[in-house]
Amino acid sequence: PAMKVAEAHPDVVVVQQGNFIKGTIPANVGTYFGTVYEPVYLAGIAAGKSTTSNKLGYVYAFPIPQTTSNINAFAPGAQSVNPDAEVITVSTSNWCDPAKQAEAAESLIGQGVDVITQHQDCTGTITKAAEAAGIEVVGYHADASELAPHGWVTGSEWAWDDMYIDIVETALAGDFTGSKYNANFRVGYKDGANPFVQSKYGPSVDQATQDLIVEAKEEISTTGSPFEGPVYAQDGSVLVAEGTVPTYAEIEELNVVFVKGVIGDIP
């Protein structure tokens, strides 16, 4: 749809949040996103330290690159501090269906999950369900700590302001064509301006765990990545070879399967 609008209005800059344009990108088009999986990996560390059952739950909508990347980062984040941790997934096939979300949360809790997270557009249902069940919760999209004063661990949330201002100013100045936004623009910790940031910590996250997260973030910000090899798929095949650090574009392409340690099938 964005490409069609841009073609019909060549004098208008059209940028789309997420998705990926393959092939030639027109002069007035671009996509943009944060590297969402980076703070999700860090939240996985907190979840791995928080669980006592070693069962983490993940409720997601659809198996698109952003959601699978998050799941595939959350699991190794948890396993980096807790090798016995596993991530059980449930797909709702809907971005915002509170009834399906409640059912998914109930199913995961029934399987012994004691930390739950999500990739949904409306996040209140699962957050409140976790708090009511007395388990812990990792947030997504926004700070929902007020909904789970006892069970909140941490989370990831958007901070778009600086990027939006820069995109608009670039367009107004007539400098969009050929700019970094006239592309599939992705930005993360290595660039220092990831618009997807870590949420506050809850009461269960001790200083030792916070220090581990600081160390992991520093590594990702320099030479590392949550997907630095070796990375293995569920079936044991190699997704990323040892010592290889995939690019942002390559990460979006490889996340079509779940990694080792994730339980569930991709619909």
Side-chain angles (χ1 to χ4, degrees):
M3 296 280 277
K4 290 179 180 179
V5 171
E7 184 179 5
H9 302 276
D11 57 333
V12 177
V13 166
V14 179
V15 289
Q16 177 170 304
Q17 184 184 103
N19 218 322
F20 199 87
I21 300 171
K22 294 183 179 181
T24 302
I25 299 177
N28 64 325
V29 182
T31 74
Y32 66 95
F33 213 61
T35 47
V36 286
Y37 45 81
E38 291 179 337
V40 171
Y41 176 88
L42 301 181
I45 294 174
K49 281 291 189 180
S50 297
T51 181
T52 56
S53 69
N54 295 326
K55 293 182 178 181
L56 312 175
Y58 213 119
V59 181
Y60 70 102
F62 299 98
I64 62 173
Q66 283 89 358
T67 56
T68 54
S69 295
N70 282 345
I71 294 166
N72 287 344
F74 187 74
Q79 291 160 356
S80 71
V81 295
N82 182 352
D84 295 327
E86 59 186 19
V87 177
I88 305 172
T89 61
V90 177
S91 170
T92 60
S93 297
N94 197 298
W95 288 113
C96 185
D97 187 326
K100 286 186 177 181
Q101 292 175 358
E103 183 179 346
E106 183 178 352
S107 170
L108 290 168
I109 293 168
Q111 295 177 65
V113 161
D114 62 356
V115 182
I116 193 169
T117 189
Q118 61 183 306
H119 189 150
Q120 300 276 291
D121 279 352
C122 51
T123 62
T125 298
I126 292 170
T127 305
K128 289 186 283 190
E131 182 76 358
I135 69 169
E136 295 188 294
V137 61
V138 171
Y140 193 72
H141 278 319
D143 177 10
S145 57
E146 289 185 0
L147 300 180
H150 300 292
W152 183 261
V153 177
T154 185
S156 310
E157 59 190 76
W158 291 108
W160 286 118
D161 304 42
D162 291 343
M163 183 183 290
Y164 280 174
I165 291 169
D166 195 37
I167 291 173
V168 171
E169 288 182 344
T170 300
L172 291 177
D175 297 331
F176 181 83
T177 301
S179 73
K180 62 184 180 181
Y181 300 118
N182 182 207
N184 293 303
F185 180 67
R186 300 296 183 269
V187 59
Y189 289 152
K190 284 186 288 187
D191 308 275
N194 192 345
F196 205 49
V197 300
Q198 191 178 356
S199 300
K200 67 179 69 172
Y201 291 115
S204 68
V205 184
D206 59 23
Q207 188 59 51
T209 300
Q210 294 181 37
D211 291 343
L212 288 173
I213 291 172
V214 169
E215 292 174 11
K217 183 177 180 180
E218 289 177 351
E219 183 176 351
I220 294 170
S221 300
T222 52
T223 59
S225 164
F227 296 101
E228 182 174 1
V231 177
Y232 300 96
Q234 278 177 323
D235 62 5
S237 60
V238 177
L239 284 178
V240 182
E242 184 173 2
T244 299
V245 179
T247 65
Y248 296 151
E250 289 170 341
I251 289 170
E252 292 208 21
E253 293 291 331
L254 70 87
N255 282 289
V256 295
V257 298
F258 285 144
V259 299
K260 188 176 180 180
V262 176
I263 297 174
D265 298 321
I266 292 181

